Amino acid sequence: VLAQVARRYCSRRCVAGLQVCNEPGLTCNMAALCDWYEQAIERIRAAGMGAGDVAIVLPVYWFDRLEEFMEVWLPRGNFLRYENVVLDFHFYHCFGRGWEHLDHHEHLQVARRHGQ
C-alpha cells in the first residue's frame, strides 16, 4: 500500500512527507517494527519518492520507547543509511497515571523538558 501511495503522489510538490503508520502498539516488538520500517523506506524510495523531495516519518509513538528504538536502529547504521527520515514522538499529557495531578504550570514545565 505504501508503494502505491508513493507512486501516486511522488510528483506532487505539495507532498513534503509520508508517515508509514500511526501509533504502533506499545507491546510491538521493536526489532520487528524496525524491520518493517526499513522495508517501508525501501519501498517508498523505490516508488519514486526521493529523499531530496519527501521525508519519511517513522512513529516511535510514546517518547519513552526512544531508548529501545535506538538500541535497534543505531547498530544497523540506519541514520547514515537512510536520508530524510524523521522520527515522530507523541507526548500525551492525559494518558497514564499522574497527569491529572499536575496544574497548568507543571504541564508547561514537562513540555519544556521534552523540548530540550
Side-chain angles (χ1 to χ4, degrees):
V1 171
L2 289 170
Q4 191 173 17
V5 170
R7 274 191 299 279
R8 181 174 183 175
Y9 294 102
C10 67
S11 62
R12 307 274 179 101
R13 290 183 48 190
C14 61
V15 176
L18 178 60
Q19 183 159 334
V20 301
C21 65
N22 181 47
E23 299 185 351
L26 294 176
T27 59
C28 181
N29 177 281
M30 191 57 75
L33 182 63
C34 289
D35 291 344
W36 189 82
Y37 283 172
E38 290 169 346
Q39 293 171 18
I41 294 167
E42 299 288 339
R43 289 193 173 108
I44 291 167
R45 295 295 186 227
M49 284 192 159
D53 300 315
V54 177
I56 297 176
V57 182
L58 308 177
V60 177
Y61 184 32
W62 287 90
F63 67 92
D64 54 353
R65 289 197 78 188
L66 175 60
E67 186 175 337
E68 183 183 1
F69 176 83
M70 296 299 278
E71 287 173 1
V72 177
W73 200 252
L74 271 176
R76 296 179 182 194
N78 286 342
F79 283 118
L80 297 174
R81 183 173 159 201
Y82 300 116
E83 293 183 60
N84 203 7
V85 172
V86 179
L87 302 180
D88 175 28
F89 303 98
H90 296 193
F91 294 91
Y92 290 115
H93 285 228
C94 57
F95 302 124
R97 299 175 60 165
W99 292 110
E100 68 277 6
H101 301 293
L102 301 180
D103 64 24
H104 180 73
H105 179 72
E106 291 167 323
H107 277 282
L108 290 176
Q109 286 179 315
V110 172
R112 193 173 296 115
R113 281 197 307 271
H114 286 166
Q116 296 176 343

